[in-house]
Structure formats: structure tokens, C-alpha cells
Amino acid sequence: MLNIKDNLLNFNLKNEIENKKSQINLFIEDCLKRKEDKNDWLGWLNLHEDEQSFQEIKEYSKEIVESKKFDNLVILGIGGSALGPKAIIQALKHPLWNELSSEKRQGFLKIYFIDNVDPDWTNSILNHLDIKRTLFCTITKSGGTAETTSVFLWARDMLIKELGDNWKKNLVLITDPKKGTLRAFADRENVKSFKIESSVGGRFSVFSAVGMLPAALCGIDIDKFKKALAISYKDIFEKKNLDNLGLKLAIALFHADKNLGKKTNILMPYSSHLEKIADWYVQLVAESLGKNRQTGPLPVKAVGATDQHSQLQLFAEGPLDKIVFFIKINNFKNDFNIPKQEVIGFENLAGETLKRLIHAEGEGTARALAKKEVPSLTIEMPEISEENLAELLYGFEIMTALSGFLYNVDPFNQPGVELSKKYTYALLGKKGFEEYLKELV
Amino acid sequence: MLNIKDNLLNFNLKNEIENKKSQINLFIEDCLKRKEDKNDWLGWLNLHEDEQSFQEIKEYSKEIVESKKFDNLVILGIGGSALGPKAIIQALKHPLWNELSSEKRQGFLKIYFIDNVDPDWTNSILNHLDIKRTLFCTITKSGGTAETTSVFLWARDMLIKELGDNWKKNLVLITDPKKGTLRAFADRENVKSFKIESSVGGRFSVFSAVGMLPAALCGIDIDKFKKALAISYKDIFEKKNLDNLGLKLAIALFHADKNLGKKTNILMPYSSHLEKIADWYVQLVAESLGKNRQTGPLPVKAVGATDQHSQLQLFAEGPLDKIVFFIKINNFKNDFNIPKQEVIGFENLAGETLKRLIHAEGEGTARALAKKEVPSLTIEMPEISEENLAELLYGFEIMTALSGFLYNVDPFNQPGVELSKKYTYALLGKKGFEEYLKELV
């Protein structure tokens, strides 16, 4: 299990949790009441129980990999449809995965993400790949996300040109099981597809097919996620253990913001492998809690030790409105012993190891911030593994859901992004958006 | 030249510039007075005049590339020593540059960055590369940055194992021309090196060898940067033209923060190629202006259209403390025409192009934010080119320097990061840090 060590300064996390005990219990009851409702948004709490989906994903992935017909997996998706799989792959795979030989990848697929509508960027990626040996995984829950479907139509065009009638074999879709354009397309064209239940929001979808299918196609054992999720679920919703990662993070985030004015929440893993976890976290917190003009801690991504040379100055001596969540990896798989006094001038590092250095930097930074009155806590992870990653991401999801409950906002909607979409369609001259165009002229 | 289009709502940029005219002129005089002082921090204003350095970089790069002895360039550097070259390469090169064949790269080098002390990440990269065909470029201005030198010693170890006495041939250094451990090492061991003048701070070093050498080794015409910088310089410091990108951005940033309470400053390019420009920008603003507890707008990176599905909800409906700087690329080199009504269900995008879509999304988002009382401005770039990139980055540097002048803080120091370094050495048990260790126990 992941531990928290804290330098919270003006508040005692244990006491605050005790103070919020009844609200936490109400939250737990609320979740349990709502989680089976298909028209609600708590479906992400059931994902680890969906044996069938995990099984289907494993079987399909095995078939794809064993067919030896594919080298590349391209994820077409944006927001929650890209951030989750990106985070998992970066955490668990080689940093230069796509440059490894098929042998070193053990036949698993290279992975590319197209999560924008930049025509140059998209063109460069699509034209680099051997389309015949590329599996396109299109992910859009609603089935109609403009960015994803437009690039999907581009990719489909290329597939038809290269493969003729066989174009569907290089396509797999992840979308709502019943509704939407992409679901209708999958049914009509008989294209392989997986589901995201309508009760699972995009930013809470990482343990559905959205995150699990790309992971399995890259050779990650997804059952390990499932088992770890079951343990975390049980800890909160059956044991009602208040000494739980997600619950503690929620209280720290909420109390620091609401009562101590710490409106900026920095997530700073001391690990290059966890950088994209922070991107995923930024979406989760920003889109869930940035509501009603009143609430919305500003989530900020930083990476240790790297950002000691970029953002740390601001954290240490800028406005006192920040709280930092560090992540420490206790055990790395590799290390380097800096030779003793071999190189003149570099004696101050002689005899150290890289692991000791990154640990001392993390601890030194937390302590220096405390000295400068900036509170922080450190999530201690024994090592980067599927299980620990599942506990971490699930902890952040629980943190976000409980924070929404405490702030009294709906963490599962995103009404603020709709107007931008309407104006976009109006500017493109689409039918049905004439009233918005009037506002713009 | 780059234009600004604005949705600033409650303030008129032109008027504010007029109001600040005398202060801007004082700033210009101050820069001109200080820029030749080798003990000051304005040396970055002279970089475009340093013909000799540009010439040496071009000659060395030509020699390296024509020797055909190298496939890979590895940058060992952190903070300003990595963010600048990363931003330039991403902006101007193929998104999958390192996966292109040598032929497609026209013999120029692949490029990798190691800007952390994560032992696993570093080990994976170093062990993937053919060390014999790898040029290690070590960048540390002071010559003693712990993160960079420790990884440098690792790389040096590998080079000696692979190449024996010839290890120096795979090494190039960028550091202070006179001071520091790395300079002494370069002189003693006779290793090829380039300079960063002591009057050029790391975050203002992108147009020194720090950014220009990696650019040249990847096939970028660095003279184009030099010419564009000369034009920008002349515009501000000779013509004293107030209608200048950097000056306008400074007034917008400062006024929005200081007088309108917009403490969060979002940089959101609508281009995947400019994502790392935003990382570079975050360091520039955070480390320069996060000072004295009082000042420090919080710089936030976002990418359009991607972050419409991540952070936009918070920008639109969270606390009203934000201003957004968009970047729009007017012309892309490629485009895709979405087929007219070919695919049932996707008719709403039929007949569009990706370029029209990304433009409408940028405009739609700026207008939707304005409707929700969130001010923004859009920097319009005719296309991504060396010249426009130089003008943009230089504009941000001027913005930062002038903002520091207006806030009355020193934008060129970073005193807040020192304590963390001292605690790190204390925790490692180093001599000379005993008093800090006492504080920690």
C-alpha cells in the first residue's frame, strides 16, 4: 500500500480526517447508493468487477499480437481518451519503447497518440507509419467528438486506399455500448469494438477499455490492475478505512484550499516515468472541480528533480498560495555508482548513487519548502508497478470525487466547455448554430 | 512580424502601453546601459551579434555530420539547458524525428534529452543507444549542476568502456568560458567546448550555443534565428517601437495580474509543435518573476485544441483569476479535406478541413472565454519557421525582463532554489553542510 508522509505545517491531517468523518461516511454511502445507476456517473467504481471486459480485452490483444500482422497501435482520442493510456504506458514501459526492435518488445505493439487536430503533426505521423501494419484504436465515448472523428476519417481514408475492402481489420473502436455515431458505425460496418459504459466519464475511464486495451496491446498484465483496484475498493467501501490514500488526499486538498487559501495544487513526482500521470491528474482535478466560479484548485504539473530548475523558485518564494503533493519512488530497478574521486573537480558527488541523489533532492526540496512555509505531503510508492499505479490513480479518482462532495459541486460534468464547441460549429457555418453565430458577429 | 489580436475585456492594451511609456523607455535605457557589463545579466541581448559563436557552431556541426561517425546526440542538461533546445527541435522537426531513417534525416543526428536523475529512465536511454555512435553534449553553465554532472559521469564511464582513449571524441561541452569545474575539465582534458557567457542566465540562453548547437546538429539553419533576433532587437532598442510583441505582452501580463487580479497566466498554443515552447515559457516566467512572496503570476501550459478536453472547464468556470495567451498558426503546410457525407453519421464535419477546424476551435474558445469574462489575447504567427520562432521566444524574454522591471524584482536571479540544494547536500552527508543537517534533524 502507498503511504503518505507529510510536511503540512499548519494542519494535522489525522485530526482533519477525524473532523470530516461523518461527511466521508456520507460520501461513501452516496457512492454505494449511486454506483449501480446506469444513468448516473459512478460506474467507474464497478470497473474492477467487470471480468468479462478484462477477459475480452486480453483475448483480443493476444489474437492481435499473435497474428504478427501489426507493428503499430495508433490511439485516436482526446482528453480522457488519451491521457489515461499515455500515463500507463509511460509509467510502465521503456522510455524509448517505439524505438525498440520487435524482439525487445516481445512482439507487442509500438504506440502513438494523435490527440489534436494539428494538420502538420497529424500528417507527419500518419505518413510515417506503414498503414498496413497499423491498428487504429479510435476512442470517443460520445462517438461524436469533433477532433477524434475528423482524424478518424483521415485514417479511414488512408486504410481504404491501402487495404481496399480489408480496411476494417485495422480498426478497433472504444465507445458507448448503445448510443452515438461511432457505436452505430461499429454495428453497421461490423467493426471490432469495446465499450465505455455511459456511467463512466472520460476522466474516470482509465481502468476501462480506454486504458486497458492499449496497455494489453503493449504487453502489460492488466489483471494486476484489476486485483489492486479490488483491494482499494474494499478498503474504502467495505472496510471504511479512513487511513486510505484517496480519502487522505481529498482532505488535504480541500482543507488546504478552502481553509488555508492554498489554491494552487502541485503534483510533483520524482520520476520521469510518472510525468504523464501528472498530465492525467491535471485533467482530473481541473475538469472535475473547476466549477461555479467559486471552486477549483489550480492543478499544476511538475517533475522532480527537473523542475527544481524551472518552477521551484516560484513555489518557494512566490505567493504563499500553494500546496505540493510529491511522489517518491522508494526502489528503482537500476542505479549508477558515481566513481570515487576519479574525475578531478567532481569530488562533491564522488561515491554517491543516482538513487541516493534523487531521494536527497526530493527530501531536501520538501524540507526547504517547509522552511519557507509551503506545505507539502509525499506519497511514498515502494516501486513503479501495475499494482501501485492502480492504487495511485484510483486514489486520485477517490480524492477528486470526495473533494467534489465536500465542495458541493458535481465532479462529473463539464458544462463550461460547451459554449466553446457551439461557437466552433457556428464559426464553421453549421446548421443549427445560427443563434450563436449572431452573438459572434 | 507577429501580431496580437485581443479579447482583453476590461482593459485597452494600447492605452495601457501609452500609460507605461515612460517606464518602458526607462527599461530600454536600463538594458542598453547594462548589456555590455560582463558582471551583469543582460548578455542575452548581445547573442545575435556574436557572429563568431554562430560560425563556430556551424563549422563544428558540419564537421560532425559530414564525418558520418554519429547517429545520436544526447543532451545532458537540466532547466534552461534542456528546455530551450527541446522547444526548438519540437517546433521545427518531424514529430517522430528519432524514428526517421538517416536518409530522411539527411544525415543529421537523432536527439535525446536526459534532464533528470531518475536512475531507471537514464539507464534505459543510455543502454539503448550505440554509445560509439553517440555524441554527448553536456550543458551546465556553472559547470557544477549536480544532476547534470552525475549523469555526465555515468556517460563518461560508458564512453571509456566502449572507446578507451578515444572517449573524448564523443563529447562536447557547453559551459562558462572561464569559470567552473566543467570549464577546467574541458581545458585540462582538451575536450571540444562552446561557451555560455556568465552574463547569460540559463533561462535566457536559448539563442546561445545551448539552443543553437543542438539545432544545427539536427539540421536547422541557425543563421535564420540570428537575423530575426537582430530585427527584433532593432525594433525595441533602436526604433523604440512600442508596437512590439514583447513590450505588449509585458504590459498585458503585468496589468492583468497587478491591477485586475489575473494571477494565473495560461500559454495555450493551438499547435502540437509548440507544446514544449510552453514548458520553456513556464520556466522563464516562474523562475524570473516568482519572487519576494508578493509577485509571481502562475504560468500554466495548455495545448489547443487538446486541452479543451482537459483544463478548459477550469479556465471557463473556475475562479476568475486567469488570463490566456493563445498562439495561432495562420498557415499549416498540410491539410486534410474531410470527405463530403461519405460516412453516415459524421455529416457535421463533412466538407471541412483540419485547418479550418483547428482555427474555428481556437477562435471559438477565445470568444467563449470572453463571454465568461475571461480575458485573452492571441499571438498570430504566419507559420512555424525559424524566424517566427526567434521573434516569439525573444518576445517572451523581453516580456519577462520588462515585467520584472515593472514588478521591481530582479528577473535574473533564483535565490529560492538554493536552500533545497543545501539541504540535499546536507542529507547526503557532505562536508560544509553540517549546519544545514542540524536544521533537518
Side-chain angles (χ1 to χ4, degrees), chain B residues 155-216:
Chain B
R156 179 180 165 278
D157 236 39
M158 293 182 81
L159 283 172
I160 290 171
K161 270 177 205 141
E162 288 274 346
L163 294 164
D165 290 346
N166 285 323
W167 63 274
K168 293 172 197 175
K169 292 186 179 162
N170 288 40
L171 201 56
V172 56
L173 311 174
I174 305 180
T175 190
D176 189 284
K178 289 180 188 146
K179 292 176 296 191
T181 307
L182 204 66
R183 174 53 57 199
F185 174 86
D187 292 347
R188 192 176 64 241
E189 303 279 352
N190 201 18
V191 174
K192 178 70 187 174
S193 69
F194 291 89
K195 67 175 180 186
I196 326 174
E197 291 290 351
S198 61
S199 57
V200 178
R203 55 191 181 272
F204 289 86
S205 70
V206 62
F207 298 115
S208 74
V210 173
M212 297 298 97
L213 181 62

Side-chain angles (χ1 to χ4, degrees), chain A residues 190-202:
Chain A
N190 201 19
V191 174
K192 178 71 187 173
S193 69
F194 292 87
K195 67 175 179 186
I196 326 176
E197 292 290 351
S198 61
S199 57
V200 179

Side-chain angles (χ1 to χ4, degrees), chain A residues 99 112 293 361 372 440, chain B residues 99 112 147 293 372:
Chain A
E99 294 181 38
Y112 302 85
R293 288 278 181 259
E361 294 209 48
K372 288 169 181 288
L440 291 174
Chain B
E99 294 182 37
Y112 302 85
E147 295 87 352
R293 289 276 179 261
K372 287 170 182 286

Side-chain angles (χ1 to χ4, degrees), chain B residues 80-268:
Chain B
S81 302
L83 292 162
K86 270 189 183 180
I88 289 179
I89 299 296
Q90 192 198 42
L92 295 170
K93 305 308 291 185
H94 193 287
L96 306 173
W97 176 250
N98 286 354
E99 294 182 37
L100 302 186
S101 65
S102 173
E103 210 182 339
K104 284 201 178 157
R105 282 183 280 107
Q106 299 180 282
F108 294 107
L109 307 192
K110 302 181 190 182
I111 186 165
Y112 302 85
F113 293 87
I114 302 183
D115 60 350
N116 202 353
V117 282
D118 181 324
D120 288 339
W121 192 267
T122 307
N123 182 69
S124 294
I125 294 175
L126 292 180
N127 280 295
H128 170 69
L129 300 172
D130 178 354
I131 296 293
K132 285 183 187 157
R133 296 192 56 80
T134 300
L135 179 67
F136 287 93
C137 177
T138 304
I139 310 179
T140 154
K141 194 190 146 184
S142 71
T145 309
E147 295 87 352
T148 305
T149 51
S150 57
V151 178
F152 163 67
L153 292 172
W154 189 344
R156 179 180 165 278
D157 236 39
M158 293 182 81
L159 283 172
I160 290 171
K161 270 177 205 141
E162 288 274 346
L163 294 164
D165 290 346
N166 285 323
W167 63 274
K168 293 172 197 175
K169 292 186 179 162
N170 288 40
L171 201 56
V172 56
L173 311 174
I174 305 180
T175 190
D176 189 284
K178 289 180 188 146
K179 292 176 296 191
T181 307
L182 204 66
R183 174 53 57 199
F185 174 86
D187 292 347
R188 192 176 64 241
E189 303 279 352
N190 201 18
V191 174
K192 178 70 187 174
S193 69
F194 291 89
K195 67 175 180 186
I196 326 174
E197 291 290 351
S198 61
S199 57
V200 178
R203 55 191 181 272
F204 289 86
S205 70
V206 62
F207 298 115
S208 74
V210 173
M212 297 298 97
L213 181 62
L217 286 165
C218 291
I220 292 168
D221 181 352
I222 60 173
D223 281 338
K224 291 182 177 171
F225 289 113
K226 185 158 59 73
K227 280 179 202 153
L229 291 175
I231 293 170
S232 285
Y233 176 86
K234 204 173 165 182
D235 195 52
I236 301 167
F237 295 102
E238 294 179 15
K239 294 187 189 165
K240 298 179 185 180
N241 178 13
L242 293 183
D243 188 25
N244 171 280
L245 180 70
L247 302 178
K248 287 195 282 191
L249 291 175
I251 303 303
L253 179 78
F254 177 79
H255 184 69
D257 173 19
K258 198 80 176 178
N259 301 327
L260 304 173
K262 308 300 177 189
K263 304 173 79 61
T264 301
N265 171 248
I266 297 139
L267 183 66
M268 188 168 182

